[in-house]
Amino acid sequence: MRRFCSFFYVTAILCIMILAGSCTKNNETTSNSDYTGWVAGEVSGGYGTILNTQNNGMAWYRQGSPQLAPNIGISDVYMVGELEVWAVGGVQNGYGLILHTSDGGINWSRVGTKTQIPNIELKAVHAIDVNTIWISGNNNTVLNSTDKGVTWRVFRLDTLKQVSFNSISSSGTNSLWITGEPVSKLDSNTMATIFHSSDGGTTWYAQGIQDSLTGSVHNIFSIDDANILAASDGYIYKSINGGTAWTRSMIVPGKRFNGVCAEDVNSLWAISDNDGIFHSLDGGLHWDTITPQLTGYNFKGIASKSGGKIWVVGAPSTGTGKGIILYTKNAGETWFIQSFPTDQGLNKVSFGKLQ
């Protein structure tokens, strides 16, 4: 029986978090580690939301400033290490917003220029290492830097329809996956969009066509070179051979799955609109539906770490109101629900180990 705990916790910056009762890779081997994490969200108080925790998510503090992202939501955040973090968002002053910190968020700076970065909204960011960064966004656009954001290569992946690339994942330095969803709702029932590169992003090939994968893919997660998960409309897709072939691991008609991640090849997690949290202990053969003691949320981002530590973020299903963060330290047996007074919701979450 999974249960929810409740108590009040007050932070220095974000007022009251009520605890009632992006997925990042799991590279740690111990269960008693402390973790730092970041959350990306929509505009609150006139600027995009970036939150940071230094204690596994029990207390959160806001970073950034109104000058850094004025009236621009933050779509995604990705931490490379305890101090190196990247975030992306909408268009400001004629080009997409890319933010970077190398001191754990004490100072954030904007990266790129009008001549380097296209005038499009950026949706996803993923780092291979401190120097190699991948970003994707609207208009089939992909950006790559190999010098920590000093210069950028910009290109478009060809599809039969206009796609917003919303998720990036990798295994090692050469295997990359990028997914997207059609801009037009008329295309939402056509073939799913999954691109793979096995040579570090030099060449790209579409996956899933021979398996008749349908619907918009909202998130992708690579456990390793072979085991890949994708969240889409109505399905959690899985591949055990690097995307050469895909199968339907979970089918829930009408359910929009927004995120998926894994602690290992057996322990898989998925989130969806309408308060959906799902867990599998057998590599996706069977899924357990977890029903939190709250309603009215679309869960948008999830991260997992060793020892059953899971973080989920989301937004009110109505589109306005307080964003939410859920945290469990025992694989969902108990949950802490943290509610923030943000004008809009929260989009993605990224976690890593404190050194």
Side-chain angles (χ1 to χ4, degrees):
M1 171 68 69
R2 289 182 169 92
R3 53 194 175 86
F4 286 72
C5 303
S6 66
F7 59 88
F8 289 93
Y9 190 97
V10 181
T11 70
I13 294 178
L14 290 177
C15 299
I16 297 176
M17 299 189 299
I18 303 174
L19 289 80
S22 191
C23 196
T24 51
K25 287 292 184 71
N26 173 17
N27 298 317
E28 292 78 28
T29 57
T30 60
S31 60
N32 59 352
S33 301
D34 286 328
Y35 293 92
T36 183
W38 276 265
V39 167
E42 296 301 322
V43 174
S44 177
Y47 63 107
T49 300
I50 300 176
L51 306 176
N52 172 244
T53 179
Q54 296 289 317
N55 61 354
N56 295 326
M58 298 305 295
W60 292 84
Y61 303 92
R62 191 167 186 183
Q63 296 182 340
S65 68
Q67 295 74 33
L68 203 61
N71 295 310
I72 296 175
I74 309 300
S75 302
D76 195 11
V77 63
Y78 191 91
M79 62 173 295
V80 190
E82 183 180 350
L83 302 178
E84 295 279 344
V85 187
W86 293 82
V88 297
V91 174
Q92 180 189 3
N93 295 331
Y95 62 108
L97 184 67
I98 303 175
L99 302 177
H100 173 244
T101 179
S102 58
D103 57 15
I106 297 173
N107 298 285
W108 285 87
S109 60
R110 189 174 187 185
V111 176
T113 65
K114 282 186 179 181
T115 57
Q116 292 180 326
I117 310 301
N119 185 28
I120 64 165
E121 183 177 0
L122 303 175
K123 296 289 192 177
V125 58
H126 184 85
I128 305 298
D129 52 44
V130 294
N131 293 310
T132 308
I133 317 302
W134 288 89
I135 293 172
S136 64
N138 290 344
N139 252 356
N140 298 54
T141 303
V142 180
L143 294 78
N144 172 234
S145 176
T146 57
D147 54 13
K148 208 173 183 177
V150 176
T151 59
W152 294 88
R153 176 173 69 106
V154 182
F155 61 97
R156 285 178 170 82
L157 294 176
D158 292 332
T159 61
L160 297 177
K161 50 190 176 292
Q162 195 174 80
V163 170
S164 174
F165 286 122
N166 52 26
S167 182
I168 310 170
S169 189
S170 70
S171 179
T173 58
N174 290 321
S175 290
L176 292 155
W177 288 265
I178 291 180
T179 62
E181 52 191 79
V183 173
S184 172
K185 292 183 178 180
L186 296 176
D187 295 323
S188 61
N189 291 323
T190 59
M191 295 303 299
T193 302
I194 303 175
F195 279 92
H196 175 241
S197 175
S198 60
D199 55 13
T202 301
T203 55
W204 294 85
Y205 299 95
Q207 291 188 333
I209 297 175
Q210 69 276 15
D211 302 304
S212 299
L213 302 189
T214 59
S216 298
V217 179
H218 306 294
N219 188 242
I220 195 161
F221 182 83
S222 58
I223 305 171
D224 50 38
D225 278 334
N227 294 277
I228 319 297
L229 303 169
S232 74
D233 292 325
Y235 306 101
I236 295 296
Y237 295 124
K238 182 181 180 182
S239 175
I240 59 173
N241 54 14
T244 301
W246 292 83
T247 59
R248 292 166 175 81
S249 176
M250 178 165 49
I251 303 173
V252 184
K255 179 73 72 177
R256 175 187 164 117
F257 290 104
N258 294 317
V260 65
C261 72
E263 296 178 72
D264 51 47
V265 294
N266 293 312
S267 182
L268 316 182
W269 292 84
I271 55 172
S272 74
D273 282 356
N274 301 318
D275 315 305
I277 303 175
F278 307 88
H279 186 210
S280 174
L281 290 170
D282 55 11
L285 293 176
H286 305 89
W287 291 85
D288 177 26
T289 301
I290 301 171
T291 305
Q293 291 180 347
L294 79 167
T295 58
Y297 287 93
N298 294 335
F299 296 135
K300 296 186 173 184
I302 184 169
S304 65
K305 289 296 175 182
S306 60
K309 292 183 173 67
I310 311 295
W311 298 266
V312 175
V313 301
S317 55
T318 58
T320 59
K322 297 178 181 180
I324 197 164
I325 300 176
L326 286 72
Y327 165 54
T328 178
K329 57 184 178 181
N330 51 19
E333 289 300 319
T334 56
W335 291 84
F336 302 101
I337 305 175
Q338 308 173 358
S339 181
F340 291 90
T342 56
D343 295 335
Q344 299 291 332
L346 304 174
N347 295 323
K348 298 296 179 182
V349 56
S350 182
F351 262 85
K353 186 178 178 182
L354 281 169
Q355 301 300 317

